[in-house]
Amino acid sequence: MTRSVPPLGPSPDELAAAFARLVETALERAERGGEAPVIRQADPETLAALAAPPPAAGRALDEALARLDAALSSGMNTDHPRFFAFIPSPASPLSWLGELAASIHNQHLGAARQSEGATAIERGLIRWLAGEAGMPEGAGGLFVSGGSIANLTALTAARDQMLVEDERAQGTAYVTAETHASVAKALRIIGLTDRQIRVAPVDGERRMDVAGLARVIAEDRAAGLKPFVVAATAGTTNTGAIDPLPEIADLCEREGLWMHVDGAYGASALLSPAHRDLLEGVGRADSLSWDAHKWLFQTYGCGVALLRDASLLAPSFSLSADYLRDGDAVGADPNFWDLGPELTRSARAVRLWLTLQAMGRDGMAAAIAHGFALAEATERAVRETPDWLVASPARMAITAFRYVPEGLATDTADAINAAAARRLMEEGYAAVGATRLDGRVALRVCAINPRATETDMRETIRRLDGIARDLRGAV
Ligand SMILES: Cc1ncc(COP(=O)(O)O)c(C=O)c1O
């Protein structure tokens, strides 16, 4: 009897044509780059059609792909050269290629036996990144989906290394008002209450105030609490501030605390020789989060958690089960599934590996350094524009500013700044963020896209100024 096996895909020819179309569309789009609007809204009917249940009988691949392309082209285009809001994601086409290759090979990165080559790639990159951070031999870690999970992974290890179970209810962690919200989220996930998440003061540059931190720690100890981790930031999301890492490392050493550094955004500066000194002291951290899908130009879903002592992950994350024995570790290095929350893991490091192979370390350094120059050009343009004020100078490719003409009430100025950012985005030219600094609305530019130019930055400020004046005229 012959069996007919239900196919999982179309014919090779159809598939080849579909891949070719996908690539052609992507390249066309990349080439047009800045001509397209930064945001494209889908109409409600299109969204409803996309959310409909799948058809019983499959439709033509061509048609499905066309729908998908329309769907994925809507929303904010975070890799547009002039998308400066949030943390943009200027993904390199090399990252697309690496992700596609990883997806086609679909290797399981839980156990080395299942994926020897991809495991070697991931281990090699981890060793290299830890070395660039100045961590000693014996450092390690794993690739995760992003900064939030890197923070969660590292802070879980911190909790388990620093507190015995009976102490958990008294354990306290230290952040600042500038710390990314994912740190507090991670701390809550690992069992801390809001009362156990302590906010240390910041200095005039929004960096952790170490003397203030020491005071909070002393008060907490006197109250019977158990300080166990300081979460510093290397490159805050709002203003690019870098906490004073050497002083924090000294304090952690003195106090016997785990030093975590959230470098999800800023750690990439380590790969630019001209800027790496900004992060002096990061190599003394017990753990470091570092996102590749931010300033290392990777597609979303690519970050890394690094630990100064690689052996400190397994006590929190190792697992054993009879059905996993065939995947037992090879040699001295543990399997990745024993180092983090996931069992099945995709080959996330492959895209970064391919990008670095093709760009080289120098190409990567130049692309990172470009962001610093763009933010500085933005700051200059703001300073040269009457009625605008720099709210936060260029730091780590981020700068913030506001429209503050004389005689305008604070609330009205806030409303005009926020509306100017909205209108600029709606017009499609560029996206800048509207944040709050010192209680007032400020416009924020995160300028990490290597395809953006200084002309783009100046023109963005010129247009914002035109919009703000227009809005003011209408008040
Ligand atoms: C400093 C910092 N930490 C953590 C995160 C969270 O990273 P992810 O969005 O990759 O989970 C971000 C995201 O912008 C960030 O800027």
Side-chain angles (χ1 to χ4, degrees):
M1 198 182 89
T2 54
R3 285 173 193 273
S4 89
V5 181
L8 272 177
S11 72
D13 284 351
E14 266 185 289
L15 210 51
F19 269 116
R21 253 190 323 279
L22 181 71
V23 170
E24 201 179 315
T25 315
L27 291 179
E28 252 176 48
R29 194 165 289 144
E31 207 174 294
R32 274 189 286 120
E35 293 164 33
V38 284
I39 182 168
R40 202 177 272 143
Q41 248 166 351
D43 59 84
E45 294 90 74
T46 306
L47 295 177
L50 288 166
R59 53 167 58 99
L61 184 57
D62 249 5
E63 187 196 325
L65 262 183
R67 281 174 179 228
L68 187 61
D69 186 66
L72 299 183
S73 310
S74 63
M76 292 184 190
N77 186 354
T78 57
D79 71 357
H80 187 289
R82 289 185 300 276
F83 191 94
F84 307 124
F86 308 110
I87 305 286
S89 177
S92 162
L94 292 161
S95 178
W96 308 344
L97 201 56
E99 189 178 350
L100 196 60
S103 173
I104 289 168
H105 287 279
N106 198 29
Q107 289 223 315
H108 191 300
L109 262 282
R113 281 184 203 279
Q114 290 171 301
S115 49
E116 291 175 17
T119 297
I121 282 176
E122 185 161 338
R123 285 184 180 149
L125 272 180
I126 286 168
R127 249 197 322 276
W128 178 66
L129 291 169
E132 291 296 307
M135 286 182 168
E137 192 79 3
L142 82 169
F143 273 72
V144 291
S145 61
S148 301
I149 303 300
N151 285 335
L152 177 63
T153 305
L155 291 168
T156 305
R159 178 200 62 186
D160 295 348
Q161 291 301 315
M162 306 302 290
L163 299 173
V164 296
E165 250 174 59
D166 285 352
E167 291 174 331
R168 284 194 188 177
Q170 278 76 46
T172 46
Y174 298 83
V175 299
T176 74
E178 304 295 320
T179 309
H180 193 269
S182 61
V183 171
K185 186 184 196 172
L187 290 167
R188 284 195 295 269
I189 294 172
I190 63 169
L192 274 74
T193 60
D194 285 345
R195 188 181 58 83
Q196 293 169 272
I197 303 170
R198 313 284 286 141
V199 182
V202 289
D203 64 16
E205 293 184 11
R206 299 185 175 80
R207 304 175 314 162
M208 193 176 262
D209 166 355
V210 183
L213 168 67
R215 274 195 302 277
V216 184
I217 290 172
E219 282 163 23
D220 287 351
R221 285 203 199 281
L225 297 169
K226 292 251 176 283
F228 74 99
V229 63
V230 175
T233 306
T236 61
T237 318
N238 229 6
T239 65
I242 300 169
D243 288 335
L245 305 177
E247 288 90 328
I248 293 170
D250 289 345
L251 178 135
C252 286
E253 235 170 69
R254 253 188 345 262
E255 296 276 345
L257 305 177
W258 181 286
M259 176 180 175
H260 174 66
V261 176
D262 180 358
Y265 172 65
S268 299
L270 288 165
L271 302 188
S272 164
H275 301 100
R276 59 176 308 131
D277 287 353
L278 291 169
L279 269 69
E280 194 206 333
V282 73
R284 295 173 64 191
D286 294 290
S287 54
L288 170 67
S289 301
W290 186 342
D291 261 350
H293 64 206
K294 293 184 166 69
W295 211 348
L296 294 182
F297 317 113
Q298 300 303 295
T299 50
Y300 287 132
C302 192
V304 66
L306 297 174
L307 266 84
R308 183 180 181 72
D309 179 348
S311 73
L312 302 186
L313 284 170
S316 299
F317 293 106
S318 74
L319 78 176
S320 84
D322 288 339
Y323 44 80
L324 294 178
R325 285 216 183 134
D326 292 340
D328 277 354
V330 193
D333 289 323
N335 282 327
F336 285 123
W337 68 30
D338 284 321
L339 302 183
E342 295 171 300
L343 179 79
T344 303
R345 305 172 63 250
S346 63
R348 290 193 184 98
V350 164
R351 63 190 96 156
L352 179 60
W353 181 87
L354 188 67
T355 305
L356 285 161
Q357 293 292 311
M359 284 178 79
R361 296 201 306 268
D362 294 348
M364 181 58 84
I368 294 167
H370 187 64
F372 282 88
L374 289 179
E376 284 154 18
T378 313
E379 183 189 331
R380 279 197 302 276
V382 170
R383 291 196 191 282
E384 286 161 11
T385 311
D387 297 334
W388 286 79
L389 213 127
V390 173
S392 176
R395 251 195 234 119
M396 299 287 277
I398 295 176
T399 182
F401 41 85
R402 54 171 74 98
Y403 177 61
V404 281
E406 232 174 272
L408 200 61
T410 307
D411 285 358
T412 317
D414 277 356
I416 288 179
N417 277 284
R422 250 191 332 269
R423 193 190 297 174
L424 183 73
M425 180 152 22
E426 280 160 13
E427 287 177 359
Y429 180 76
V432 304
T435 184
R436 272 189 182 273
L437 290 175
D438 305 320
R440 300 205 43 193
V441 173
L443 304 185
R444 171 184 165 282
V445 153
C446 178
I448 58 172
N449 195 319
R451 289 180 290 259
T453 63
E454 294 197 6
T455 309
D456 286 326
M457 310 318 289
R458 279 196 301 275
E459 179 61 11
T460 298
I461 299 304
R462 196 188 70 76
R463 288 189 188 220
L464 271 174
D465 183 49
I467 294 171
R469 284 179 195 287
D470 196 34
L471 289 166
R472 190 188 181 187
V475 170

